Amino acid sequence: MKPPAPTQDLLGAMARGERSASEVLEHCLGRIADTDGRVNAFTRISHARARREAADIDRRRKQGEAMPPLAGLPYAVKNLFDIEGEVTLAGSKINREHAPARADAVLVQRLRSAGAVLVGSLNMDEYAYGFTTENTHYGPTHNPHDLTRIAGGSSGGSGAAVAAGQVPVTLGSDTNGSIRVPASLCGVWGLKPTFGRLSRRGSYPFVHSIDHLGPFADSTAHLAHVYDALQGPDPLDPGCHALAIQPAAPQMHRGIDGLRIGMLGGYFLEHAGAEAREAVQAAAGALGVVEIVEWPDAALARAAAFIISASEGGALHLGDLRARADDFEPLSVDRFIAGALQPAAWYLRAQRFRRRYRERVNALFEHWDLLLAPATPVCAPMIGTEWLEINGQRHPSRPAVGLLTQPVSFAGCPVVAAPLWPAAGQGLPLGVQIIAAPWREDLALRAARVLEQAGIAHLNETAL
Amino acid sequence: MPERLLNYVNAAATALALPLDEARAARVAAHLARTAAMAGLLDGVPLCVEDEPAELYCPAPFVPVEPGA
C-alpha cells in the first residue's frame, strides 16, 4: 500500500485559506459515513457540535481574527472523555444510565480553546480493561488494514479512526499500553506522555495510580502540535504533576545529533516475534543505534503493574460487581472480580517495588537519552484469538499484547509509538516505542520526526 | 488450580458481599492463580522496612514558610 496523501500541512492549508474548516470537517464526516460500518471506530458522531465549531472557526478567520494553533483541525476522543451534554460510556453498558456530563473534560476544553473541532467519541474496551477492543456491548473495532483483525486496545477506536483516515487526530488513554498497542497494530503515531504530564480531570478512570492520557495522529507534526495544546498544570488533578508547559513542537527540527540512543534487549527481545524484531532493528538502523541496553526488572514491573491494575480497577467497580456483574463485559468481568478480591499484601508490595523500580529506571537515563523497543510482540491478531505463540512460548492472547508496553508505563516514562511496516508483517504494521526519561517528550518526538523524514515510519493507505 | 485459592475466593467474596456462583468462582480463582504467580515474583524482591509505597497522597501543596512566621 502506498502512503496516503500527507496531511502535515492541513493546518497550513486552512491558515492560507485554501481549505475551510467546514470543508475539512465535511470530508471527515463523509469518510466516517463511508467506512465506519466496517471499522466500528465511532460510538457517537457529534454532527451538530462539530459543524458549529467548524463554522465558528471559518467565521473568525473571515473576520480577520488571530487564529488559535489548531484552528479547524478535526479530532475525536475515546468515549471515556467527558463531552458536555453526553453520557460518558467508558465502553460500558452500565454507564448508559449515568447522567450526561456537565462539562467537557479538561483536555477537550484545551483542544477547543486551541481551535480544534470535536467530531465524536470512539470505541474502547469496557472500562479500559483490555488490549483488543473486542467490546461485546458495542461490537469489536476492526483493524482498517485487515478487517478480520483487532485494532488493539483499549483505545482501539482511537487508533482505527486515524488509520482509516476518518480524522487526523484522536485522544486516548494508556494505563498499561492502551495508546501504544492500538497505535502499533493500526499503524499510526501515538504519544503516551510522562505520568502526570496531562490533566486527567473529566476522564473516566481505570487505575488512578497509573492512568495516562495522550494523543494519536497521522503525522509527527500533528502529534507534537496537539500534545503542546494539551499541556498545562492542573492543581485539581492530584495525578497532574506538571508545573509548566514545555512545548515540544518548536524542538522538532533539531534532529538527534548528540543524543545517546540504545535498543532494549533481554525481556524486550525475548517477547518480540520476528516482525517486532525486524521493526525495532529497522528503527535502530535509521537512528544509528548499535548498543543493546538492559532495562531493569522488566518482568517484575509487568507483574507489579498487573497486580496494581487488577486491584485498583476491581475496587473501583466493586459496587456494580456486587449488584450486576452480568451487565459487565463478559471478556473482563471475571478479571475485575479477581482484582477486587486480591490480598492487600500483593498490592502494597507492588507499590513498594514501584518506588525502587523508578530509581533504577531513572538511573538508566543518566547514560541514555532514548531507548527503543517494539510496542507489541506481534502484528494484529485475528479477532477472537485466544492464544499467541511468541518465540516458542504460548501466551494468553489478550494480556500478552501488552507485554512490551506495561513495564515502561509503570515507570511513567514518555513514549512515542512510531508506525513501521516490517516485511514479516505482510502488510500489517507494528509500532516501535521511542522511550525517553520522564519529562523529555521533546527528545522522543525529535527521534520520531527523524524516522518519519527517513521514510521508515509513516501511515499507509488502507483498502477501505 | 489449588483448592486453597478457590476457598480464598469464596471466603473473600463472602466478606465483600460479592455473590459468586460455582462456575464464576472457579474462573475467578483461575485468574487469581495467574496473579498469584506474579505476586510470587515480587515476593522474591528484597525490600527493607524503609521501602515505602510509591506516593500519591499529599495534604496540600508545599508552602515555604519561615519558622516563626
Side-chain angles (χ1 to χ4, degrees):
Chain A
M1 284 291 163
K2 65 183 169 97
T7 59
Q8 281 93 330
D9 203 29
L10 187 59
L11 289 169
M14 286 190 281
R16 291 188 296 272
E18 294 164 14
R19 299 181 74 182
S20 71
S22 297
E23 285 169 13
V24 170
L25 170 64
E26 292 305 326
H27 172 81
C28 288
L29 292 175
R31 180 74 181 153
I32 294 165
D34 287 346
T35 59
D36 210 49
R38 288 166 284 162
V39 176
N40 195 32
F42 278 80
T43 49
R44 185 184 171 93
I45 301 166
S46 310
H47 291 95
R49 174 172 170 165
R51 288 187 168 122
R52 193 170 60 245
E53 289 184 351
D56 187 52
I57 290 292
D58 289 335
R59 178 190 57 75
R60 290 166 62 188
R61 200 184 301 279
K62 204 170 175 183
Q63 290 174 348
E65 288 184 29
M67 299 308 291
L70 304 180
L73 187 71
Y75 74 103
V77 298
K78 186 175 185 175
N79 71 28
L80 54 63
F81 285 84
D82 284 352
I83 297 173
E84 184 181 357
E86 295 182 15
V87 172
T88 307
L89 295 172
S92 75
K93 172 181 166 184
I94 290 170
N95 281 29
R96 287 179 201 158
E97 298 166 20
H98 289 191
R102 294 168 66 179
D104 288 340
V106 168
L107 297 192
V108 175
Q109 292 175 28
R110 288 185 178 158
L111 289 190
R112 188 176 55 188
S113 299
V117 173
L118 178 65
V119 175
S121 46
L122 299 158
N123 203 7
M124 58 180 283
D125 286 292
E126 183 178 72
Y127 297 130
Y129 204 2
F131 287 124
T132 62
T133 314
E134 295 168 296
N135 187 309
T136 301
H137 311 305
Y138 302 98
T141 293
H142 299 261
N143 192 308
H145 294 285
D146 179 343
L147 296 170
T148 66
R149 296 176 185 271
I150 62 166
S154 63
S155 313
S158 304
V162 174
Q166 296 173 333
V167 279
V169 166
T170 57
L171 298 186
S173 67
D174 188 319
T175 303
N176 290 301
S178 290
I179 289 174
R180 292 159 289 157
V181 167
S184 174
L185 301 187
C186 290
V188 302
W189 297 95
L191 169 61
K192 183 207 77 64
T194 305
F195 179 73
R197 170 69 83 177
L198 301 181
S199 172
R200 305 173 302 182
R201 200 150 47 90
S203 66
Y204 200 91
F206 170 31
V207 181
H208 290 111
S209 64
I210 321 180
D211 285 345
H212 308 62
L213 304 178
F216 296 72
D218 61 356
S219 67
T220 59
H222 282 151
L223 196 70
H225 284 295
V226 168
Y227 164 62
D228 284 351
L230 294 171
Q231 288 192 56
D234 182 1
L236 297 180
D237 175 358
C240 185
H241 306 309
L243 298 177
I245 294 171
Q246 297 176 309
Q251 306 297 322
M252 295 286 280
H253 67 283
R254 291 181 57 191
I256 55 167
D257 283 353
L259 297 184
R260 302 161 298 173
I261 309 177
M263 185 173 108
L264 293 179
Y267 174 96
F268 288 90
L269 289 183
E270 287 159 18
H271 293 96
E275 59 268 53
R277 286 168 181 252
E278 183 188 337
V280 73
Q281 280 160 0
L287 297 174
V289 174
V290 290
E291 201 162 334
I292 301 289
V293 180
E294 197 74 28
W295 183 273
D297 294 336
L300 291 169
R302 191 208 174 213
F306 195 99
I307 288 168
I308 290 171
S309 298
S311 202
E312 290 191 29
L316 193 64
H317 296 286
L318 182 57
D320 284 329
L321 290 169
R322 279 186 185 121
R324 50 192 303 189
D326 289 342
D327 288 334
F328 277 74
E329 165 65 59
L331 290 171
S332 58
V333 63
D334 295 334
R335 283 188 288 139
F336 266 125
I337 293 173
L341 301 183
Q342 272 182 192
W346 294 0
Y347 176 84
L348 284 167
R349 193 162 186 89
Q351 285 287 16
R352 290 173 68 205
F353 164 79
R354 192 181 192 191
R355 180 186 281 264
R356 288 187 30 153
Y357 175 62
R358 172 179 58 194
E359 288 165 11
R360 295 198 66 193
V361 170
N362 289 345
L364 187 67
F365 283 105
E366 290 172 12
H367 306 285
W368 299 96
D369 296 301
L370 294 170
L371 295 166
L372 307 179
T376 50
V378 293
C379 294
M382 307 283 275
I383 292 170
T385 298
E386 296 292 340
W387 295 93
L388 284 181
E389 187 165 311
I390 305 166
N391 299 329
Q393 292 273 332
R394 197 161 176 257
H395 297 264
S397 177
R398 294 185 178 93
V401 180
L403 272 166
L404 303 179
T405 49
Q406 230 165 338
V408 183
S409 34
F410 194 58
C413 297
V415 186
V416 171
L420 275 81
W421 302 84
Q426 300 182 318
L428 293 173
L430 193 138
V432 169
Q433 298 186 84
I434 308 170
I435 307 161
W439 311 113
R440 295 313 306 266
E441 286 85 346
D442 59 321
L443 301 184
L445 285 161
R446 282 166 53 188
R449 168 62 63 84
V450 170
L451 291 179
E452 182 179 53
Q453 288 179 330
I456 299 288
H458 53 79
L459 271 66
N460 266 358
E461 251 180 20
T462 69
L464 291 169
Chain B
M1 176 211 338
E3 194 177 329
R4 63 180 175 81
L5 259 185
L6 188 58
N7 291 340
Y8 172 83
V9 164
N10 283 316
T14 301
L16 287 174
L18 206 163
L20 293 182
D21 61 33
E22 209 172 301
R24 174 157 282 158
R27 293 196 303 271
V28 169
H31 282 294
L32 211 57
R34 281 195 281 274
T35 318
M38 295 189 185
L41 288 177
L42 290 171
D43 275 342
V45 178
L47 295 176
C48 59
V49 293
E50 289 82 13
D51 284 317
E52 297 194 16
E55 67 283 355
L56 183 63
Y57 174 75
C58 176
F62 177 73
V63 182
V65 178
E66 289 296 319

